[in-house]
Amino acid sequence: MTSDLTSSLWHKTCQETPASSALTGEVTADMVVIGGGYTGCSAALRAAEMGASVCLIEAEVFGYGGSGRNVGLSNAGLWLPPEEINAQLGKEVGSKLSQALGEAPDLVYGLIERHGIACEPVRNGTLHCAHAPSGRPDLQRRADQLQAIGAPVQLLDAGEAQARVGSDAVHGALFDPRAGTLQPLGFARGLARAAHEAGAQIHDQTPATAITQAKGIWQVTTPQGSIRAKQLIMATNGYARPVAGYDAPAIVPVHYFQGATPPLTQAQQEQILPGREGCWDSALVMSSWRLDQQGRLVIGAMGALDHFGSSIHRTWLDRKLAAMFPALAGTKLESLWFGRIAMTGEYLPKIEKLQDGYVSFGYSGRGIGPGTLFGQKMAEALISGDEARLPLPASHGHSLPFAGLRGAYYETGATLTHLIKDRV
């Protein structure tokens, strides 16, 4: 299987279709944004709202990268708990970041409502589930740290978690009412549409082939045209392509695959995730599950589907489905797809300073809230000249030795885990 977006459920059910075409000719703008996922579309939307002329380009179609292959969990915060964030960034910077990302679902769902984005939004919270009794202490630690900074999270015992999930394969859960689910490709494309309606020029099928800067002006060359702009935001994250004159920051490439069942019966939906929370577990090789608007169960885990061992992931998915929800044993999955997650060595997102520009990356699987927030705040910081608007300070330079080998390590670990897990 290739990483073609069209194999995903989200492509098949997306209702947002922003009007766009490839860029031809020369364009002059205040800001050029490269990358049509959450970060780039959010940046273009905010810049246009602030009165800037904006040109947003995407090499493929909007949402083609990680944004359109996402699980669709709009989380509050990062994978790391607050004290670990503070240990790496310092208490002042870490606390600011945790607060900003804790409020990120407000931003996401506010944009959905304001712009009428058709993306199946459900804000009924998320459940971080203990995959075994050994996972409960970690959930307790996370609950303690989140409650200490005012997050309204609640630790559920095994019985309540099992009732909410509809499975006895979970052993407790951390419930976060701030979060929710959405149709991830629809949200990305809805942001692109909103940016266009706000006055931004948007162009898909328009890869950047070369980037230069001279005398305070960025020049971005594309196959059929070019853009001149004072400011630049690079928002390609895990799907950066080679561009002459620009070296993308190194990331650890980690893959995540998913499958979707046909719509469950009404009786099954009353039993499985009756509250429509989005879920993921505490296992080292994480898995996730949720329902879409039509009642399909979407279930997935770490791993890619484009190598010789990918059949291991696919057969494990069938076993996992049966282990989690015995009533669904033998259900044929209608869609299978995977995408790439950009991780950093610290599991923290980063903003890197360019001359009159920024690049952000490394959301580590939390792209919806952080990507939307970072895009908005980078646009605000550039237009206002106030870097204090950034959710964390911009860095200068980034190195990540052996990034590709680290990615191979994660894939090997996921494949070996799925070879032996959930066997009867």
Side-chain angles (χ1 to χ4, degrees), residues 3-267:
S3 58
D4 186 358
L5 178 65
T6 60
S7 63
S8 77
L9 170 68
W10 311 133
H11 173 80
K12 298 170 185 176
T13 63
C14 185
Q15 299 179 52
E16 287 282 353
T17 54
S20 182
S21 60
L23 173 68
T24 59
E26 297 183 358
V27 171
T28 299
D30 295 322
M31 180 185 296
V32 57
V33 181
I34 300 175
Y38 303 132
T39 304
C41 293
S42 175
L45 171 59
R46 185 61 182 137
E49 288 176 338
M50 295 178 72
S53 58
V54 186
C55 185
L56 167 66
I57 61 172
E58 160 59 41
E60 297 286 346
V61 293
F62 290 106
Y64 176 84
S67 297
R69 305 156 197 261
N70 200 284
V71 175
L73 303 185
S74 180
N75 291 296
L78 296 173
W79 180 79
L80 291 179
E83 289 182 10
E84 292 184 32
I85 295 172
N86 291 354
Q88 296 196 47
L89 298 179
K91 185 173 182 179
E92 181 178 354
V93 173
S95 297
K96 178 182 176 181
L97 180 62
S98 292
Q99 179 179 351
L101 291 176
E103 297 168 356
D106 290 339
L107 171 64
V108 168
Y109 289 100
L111 288 169
I112 292 169
E113 182 177 4
R114 189 177 318 129
H115 297 286
I117 298 175
C119 63
E120 306 178 13
V122 177
R123 197 175 185 184
N124 288 355
T126 54
L127 295 167
H128 185 183
C129 299
H131 72 292
S134 59
R136 290 199 296 258
D138 180 56
L139 296 187
Q140 181 69 65
R141 177 178 65 93
R142 291 172 181 273
D144 291 343
Q145 292 185 28
L146 288 166
Q147 289 168 353
I149 64 170
V153 299
Q154 179 185 0
L155 195 63
L156 309 181
D157 63 23
E160 187 167 0
Q162 290 167 4
R164 292 206 190 190
V165 174
S167 172
D168 61 5
V170 298
H171 301 269
L174 184 60
F175 173 63
D176 192 336
R178 300 171 294 176
T181 64
L182 48 75
Q183 213 277 23
L185 181 58
F187 179 54
R189 291 184 173 173
L191 287 175
R193 172 182 58 78
H196 180 62
E197 291 172 350
Q201 296 185 55
I202 65 172
H203 298 281
D204 61 2
Q205 304 296 330
T206 304
T209 57
I211 299 175
T212 59
Q213 191 193 44
K215 298 181 180 180
I217 297 295
W218 289 98
Q219 175 93 15
V220 178
T221 304
T222 71
Q224 302 179 69
S226 64
I227 307 147
R228 289 171 54 83
K230 300 173 185 175
Q231 298 165 329
L232 168 71
I233 289 178
M234 292 294 297
T236 52
N237 199 27
Y239 283 76
R241 296 183 172 202
V243 180
Y246 173 75
D247 292 323
I251 54 95
V252 178
V254 176
H255 294 89
Y256 201 91
F257 68 95
Q258 299 176 77
T261 70
L264 306 185
T265 66
Q266 187 60 42

